[in-house]
Amino acid sequence: MAPRDRNRARQAFTLASAASILALWIALGPVGAWGDSLLNLVWIGAIVAIVVGITRLPRGARGPWILIDIALVAFLAAAALRSRYHALGDLRPDRSLVPDMAAFPAYLMLCTGLAMLVRRHQRGVAGAIDAMLDALVTGLATLATLCVLVMQPALGTHATSLGTKLSMVAYIPFSAMLLVLACRMASAGDTRSRGWSHVASVLAMAMVLVGDVIFALTDSGLVDIPARKVMLPYAFSFAAIIFCALHPSFVELSAPTRRDTPPPSGVRIATVGLSLVLPAFVAVLEPSASLGSRLILAGLVVSLATVAAWRVLRALLASSRSERRLRHMLYHDALTGDLNRAGLLDSLDHLAPTGPLTVAQLGIDRFKLVNDTFGHDVGDRLLLQVSARLRELSGPDDLVARLGGDVFAVITDREAGPEAGVRAGERLRTAMRAPFDVDGIELLTTVGVGVSEVEPGDDPQHVLRETDSAMHRAKRDGGDAVSQFEPCLLTEAAEWLAIEHDLRHAVDRDEMRVYFQPIVGTDTRRVRGFEALMRWEHPERGLVSPLDFIPVAEESGSINVIGAWIMAESLQRLAALRGAAERWRNLYVSVNVSARQLRDPGFTQVLRSSLHRARLPGDALLLELTESVLAEDDSSVGRILREISAMGVRIAIDDFGTGYSSLAYIQRYPIDVLKIDRAFVTPLHTVDDRAGAMVGGIVAMARSLGVSTIAEGVETQRQRDIVAQLGCDHIQGYLYSKPVPTDQALESASEIDAKAPPSRHDAWPGALTVPLGRT
């Protein structure tokens, strides 16, 4: 609480305490004729306090409190008139009702003001009506009890007129309603939104009810209490109003609540339950009540039963709505409103017996890139548009579901013919290739689609496994494809999971191996470095090819652990080779890096620590990236590559020519080497043939950009001569050596160097007429 608010709170407490002490002293002490005037000071203090409190409220919130303040003025006038006419305890038939004419409008204004506050406080709050009904049940039960114990004896007084009798008991229903309204206003929202003003407002109305009960008993002659003591509860009520209006939480009391009403507490439920049975006990205790009292009690009980029935009906309706809402949440996706996996399974369970169906499951290719580049909000809106497009494509009897993430499914009646499922999948694949406009961002998407046919009696869970296997095969094949389920896919999926499981422990079990394949300088024909190639020596499968386990490692995320291991191991092995002899001191190692590794926040630290532990400079390492990594328009890729280049590490584009082959990213990023894919080297026959022209074009482009070249897959002397004639700087392939274990790398390099013509052994990058890369 701010210092200013703390001061206001202390002032409110001080003034309210002073008013209470003054009222108590007036009621119990010998103050003489000045007592009534001093007591009026408490009334006037409450009126002034509300005026002060109103000045701290926004204009739109002042109306109810102005009405309440006018009601307090009317109360003060009624008290003065009652003292003037000596009406309290006067049971004569000609008793003056003038004080009551001032008091009744005051009660009406006070009830109206509190009702306006309750409406403002709880406008649009869930559960507000139910809480009000609970409060009405409690209020009516309290009123029924007071009817028997107070109002019935008062109405039984025969020495006065009917108007006087009614005036004696009419205040109690009003004050009971005031207490109900105050409790309802104070109980809105959660406990954190309630302040001391809420408590004070309830206390003030409770004191009014107590005062009205004492007043009715005294006025009817059932008890004999001095007038000033009768006024004591009202004085305490006005002191509570002073505290309520001056306390800083008064503003919160007048503001709309921002939280829904919490579920009924145990105390609230117990109170309502007791209120429902209390009138019955009271009626049993008072069997001798007059006919008029019984009629009043019957009216109250009927009202109580009506409110209770209304409350029960609302509870039943709310339970029904909650059940429907929970069922919808159970079977529908929260984002798109489509069926979720549970809803799709339930629908398949009901539709499968009716006839053959086709289930198509599709996943958005590279959806993670959309989230990473534009944020998850754009990704979510893309999913909403994909869902809408699928519904547009579907027939009236088709079902669309979102199974999670970027995966959707469509159930449709199967067409005739063996390729019906593939045709349905192709329609979806073609439709998804049209661009999506998300907040002005044009997104081009493709999907991998898996289809499966459902026959009557098929297990829905098994059907989803089939479509899931087919979809994953379509995505593993590069995406933007349709794959129909075949039984062998389940075997492949089981094999995939088995490899994934074993791969997670391969590093810890020392099953990974590094093989080195020499990279030879074209001019010197001597070994300049090695490419590090990974092998998995599985205890049961034997030596597993990277083609079999690298895709699994990429998808499962274990590539980061394996990649960090091969980086450190390759550099340690290279350090040992460079230290074997002076002529090997400039060897380097080339290591492949995946897109997932590159985006790992700890990747650059892995590089630094691996180089540091091996005690090697940055230029001892060449990182090979695929073109697809660079083609993604991701600013983080450029930042990471520039950071790597600043470490002295060189960067190569692997398999150049098979992917996007864009000059833009060669100029945009610090690229040092292009590795010409074997697909261009294998068909080489002459310099002038088609393949030769393409290799020559790549080499010329690289030289013009200051980038070195390595020809991969050189297996014959003729291929070697052609790439050398075309100007390629380095050669790699089986012509010189296949990949060998690192402990055989020096032997392999020595054999290659022994066959080379005598020449000066230049350091990397060799005798080039253009500089290698950019620093």
Side-chain angles (χ1 to χ4, degrees):
M1 183 183 294
R4 184 178 181 183
D5 289 341
R6 283 197 295 268
N7 290 333
R8 285 179 175 173
R10 283 194 294 267
Q11 292 170 4
F13 179 77
T14 301
L15 291 174
S17 300
S20 300
I21 294 172
L22 177 63
L24 193 61
W25 179 62
I26 292 171
L28 303 179
V31 293
W34 289 94
D36 292 339
S37 299
L38 292 175
L39 195 61
N40 288 338
L41 290 177
V42 180
W43 268 247
I44 296 172
I47 295 170
V48 174
I50 290 182
V51 172
V52 173
I54 288 175
T55 61
R56 293 191 281 121
L57 298 178
R59 292 188 179 275
R62 295 177 179 179
W65 288 106
I66 293 175
L67 193 61
I68 291 173
D69 212 28
I70 295 174
L72 296 188
V73 174
F75 275 130
L76 182 60
L81 289 171
R82 199 174 302 280
S83 177
R84 167 71 176 78
Y85 287 100
H86 304 286
L88 181 63
D90 182 4
L91 300 179
R92 294 174 302 172
D94 59 346
R95 165 180 163 166
S96 175
L97 297 179
V98 172
D100 302 303
M101 304 244 178
F104 286 146
Y107 273 101
L108 287 173
M109 286 187 287
L110 194 56
C111 285
T112 303
L114 285 180
M116 291 168 64
L117 279 177
V118 170
R119 183 173 181 273
R120 174 179 174 81
H121 206 48
Q122 301 168 43
R123 185 178 300 171
V125 176
I129 295 178
D130 295 334
M132 177 61 78
L133 291 176
D134 291 343
L136 280 176
V137 168
T138 304
L140 287 171
T142 304
L143 189 58
T145 303
L146 293 174
C147 174
V148 173
L149 298 180
V150 179
M151 297 166 63
Q152 183 250 327
L155 288 172
T157 303
H158 300 291
T160 188
S161 65
L162 178 62
T164 301
K165 292 179 181 181
L166 293 176
S167 69
M168 291 178 184
V169 298
Y171 298 112
I172 296 177
F174 277 119
S175 55
M177 179 57 67
L178 290 175
L179 182 58
V180 167
L181 291 171
C183 290
R184 181 64 208 109
M185 183 171 59
S187 63
D190 64 290
T191 55
R192 289 172 294 181
S193 65
R194 303 172 198 161
W196 283 106
S197 292
H198 293 77
V199 178
S201 65
V202 175
L203 180 61
M205 296 305 107
M207 287 294 99
V208 170
L209 178 60
V210 172
D212 283 346
V213 172
I214 296 174
F215 182 90
L217 293 173
T218 304
D219 202 21
S220 61
L222 296 177
V223 297
D224 185 13
I225 300 176
R228 288 181 183 171
K229 293 183 180 180
V230 171
M231 294 296 125
L232 186 60
Y234 298 109
F236 287 154
S237 173
F238 279 73
I241 291 174
I242 291 173
F243 180 84
C244 172
L246 297 181
H247 196 271
S249 60
F250 179 71
V251 177
E252 300 173 8
L253 185 65
S254 306
T257 181
R258 296 183 180 182
R259 295 179 181 269
D260 290 347
T261 300
S265 63
V267 174
R268 174 174 156 187
I269 293 174
T271 303
V272 173
L274 180 63
S275 300
L276 290 173
V277 299
L278 186 61
F281 284 107
V282 173
V284 171
L285 294 175
E286 291 290 335
S288 59
S290 64
L291 177 61
S293 297
R294 290 180 181 275
L295 289 176
I296 293 175
L297 181 61
L300 290 173
V301 171
V302 169
S303 301
L304 180 63
T306 302
V307 174
W310 186 11
R311 179 67 176 92
V312 171
L313 178 61
R314 286 183 58 84
L316 292 174
L317 292 174
S319 176
S320 177
R321 287 193 298 269
S322 296
E323 184 177 352
R324 290 196 300 270
R325 186 165 56 251
L326 288 174
R327 183 174 179 82
H328 186 274
M329 292 172 60
L330 180 63
Y331 289 111
H332 290 79
D333 177 60
L335 176 65
T336 63
D338 298 329
L339 293 173
N340 57 15
R341 182 177 291 273
L344 184 66
L345 289 172
D346 183 68
S347 300
L348 278 173
D349 196 38
H350 288 85
L351 293 174
T354 63
L357 302 169
T358 293
V359 178
Q361 184 171 322
L362 60 147
I364 303 174
D365 298 328
R366 302 198 303 172
F367 177 71
K368 183 178 182 299
L369 184 60
V370 175
N371 281 335
D372 292 344
T373 304
F374 301 106
H376 288 272
D377 289 343
V378 172
D380 287 346
R381 287 192 282 274
L382 173 61
L383 293 175
L384 287 170
Q385 292 196 24
V386 169
S387 170
R389 186 173 294 183
L390 288 175
R391 288 195 295 270
E392 291 175 3
L393 293 171
S394 304
D397 298 326
D398 297 344
L399 295 177
V400 177
R402 181 184 175 221
L403 305 184
D406 62 307
V407 179
F408 291 81
V410 177
I411 303 177
T412 183
D413 291 335
R414 196 176 72 196
E415 302 174 2
E419 298 297 324
V422 174
R423 289 197 296 271
E426 284 292 345
R427 283 198 299 271
L428 295 174
R429 184 186 70 85
T430 303
M432 290 298 111
R433 297 187 71 179
F436 292 92
D437 187 344
V438 181
D439 296 339
I441 303 171
E442 185 179 71
L443 298 176
L444 300 174
T445 62
T446 58
V447 294
V449 185
V451 295
S452 179
E453 297 176 353
V454 185
E455 299 291 344
D458 284 351
D459 179 17
Q461 292 276 10
H462 187 72
V463 171
L464 281 192
R465 284 198 299 271
E466 291 179 351
T467 55
D468 190 64
S469 298
M471 183 195 72
H472 277 88
R473 184 173 71 173
K475 293 177 76 69
R476 285 199 301 271
D477 290 342
D480 195 21
V482 177
S483 175
Q484 187 162 21
F485 171 76
E486 298 173 0
C488 64
L489 290 180
L490 293 180
T491 304
E492 292 178 6
E495 179 73 8
W496 181 281
L497 290 176
I499 292 176
E500 180 180 331
H501 176 270
D502 293 345
L503 196 57
R504 290 187 181 275
H505 307 284
V507 173
D508 295 336
R509 294 171 180 170
D510 195 27
E511 295 173 359
M512 304 307 298
R513 301 288 181 265
V514 177
Y515 278 53
F516 277 181
Q517 185 175 30
I519 299 175
V520 179
T522 307
D523 55 345
T524 64
R525 301 189 185 184
R526 294 178 182 273
V527 175
R528 318 318 306 260
F530 301 93
E531 179 178 2
L533 301 169
M534 195 162 17
R535 299 291 185 267
W536 181 16
E537 195 173 289
H538 194 279
E540 297 175 0
R541 304 171 187 270
L543 207 59
V544 182
S545 169
L547 296 177
D548 295 328
F549 70 83
I550 290 297
V552 181
E554 286 275 7
E555 185 167 323
S556 65
S558 57
I559 190 64
N560 289 334
V561 176
I562 296 173
W565 178 86
I566 192 175
M567 184 72 65
E569 183 70 10
S570 299
L571 290 172
Q572 290 287 352
R573 297 290 184 176
L574 177 67
L577 296 179
R578 287 167 65 121
E582 177 65 20
R583 64 195 182 99
W584 305 122
R585 65 182 178 85
N586 290 316
L587 290 175
Y588 73 96
V589 66
S590 175
V591 180
N592 287 274
V593 175
S594 70
R596 192 158 191 165
Q597 286 178 266
L598 193 65
R599 290 190 174 86
D600 184 0
F603 178 69
T604 54
Q605 183 56 39
V606 168
L607 289 185
R608 287 193 181 94
S609 60
S610 298
L611 289 167
H612 178 73
R613 284 196 298 269
R615 297 183 179 180
L616 291 174
D619 61 4
L621 176 63
L622 177 67
L623 294 184
E624 296 188 19
L625 308 174
T626 61
E627 292 183 79
S628 59
V629 176
L630 303 178
E632 297 172 357
D633 188 12
D634 189 347
S635 59
S636 64
V637 172
R639 177 182 55 80
I640 294 170
L641 292 182
R642 284 187 287 272
E643 186 176 350
I644 292 171
S645 182
M647 297 163 55
V649 177
R650 300 185 185 277
I651 300 169
I653 300 177
D654 193 19
D655 301 330
F656 185 81
T658 60
Y660 300 88
S661 301
S662 171
L663 288 176
Y665 57 73
I666 299 177
Q667 294 176 320
R668 186 186 312 146
Y669 302 129
I671 304 302
D672 300 288
V673 179
L674 298 183
K675 297 194 73 175
I676 303 171
D677 188 75
R678 65 178 65 246
F680 298 103
V681 175
T682 300
L684 285 176
H685 298 292
T686 67
V687 173
D688 298 325
D689 62 10
R690 185 181 182 88
M694 295 191 69
V695 172
I698 294 173
V699 171
M701 177 193 68
R703 281 183 173 273
S704 67
L705 295 172
V707 175
S708 182
T709 53
I710 300 175
E712 296 184 287
V714 176
E715 298 182 357
T716 66
Q717 186 63 40
R718 183 173 184 80
Q719 292 170 348
R720 186 263 169 215
D721 294 340
I722 294 175
V723 296
Q725 187 177 353
L726 290 171
C728 191
D729 301 308
H730 299 83
I731 296 172
Q732 179 182 347
Y734 277 26
L735 173 65
Y736 290 107
S737 174
K738 66 179 182 180
V740 297
T742 53
D743 57 3
Q744 300 176 23
L746 273 186
E747 181 182 349
S748 176
S750 297
E751 292 178 359
I752 295 172
D753 283 6
K755 298 176 183 178
S759 64
R760 180 174 59 88
H761 183 68
D762 294 321
W764 166 263
L768 296 178
T769 57
V770 293
L772 174 64
R774 286 157 290 185
T775 59

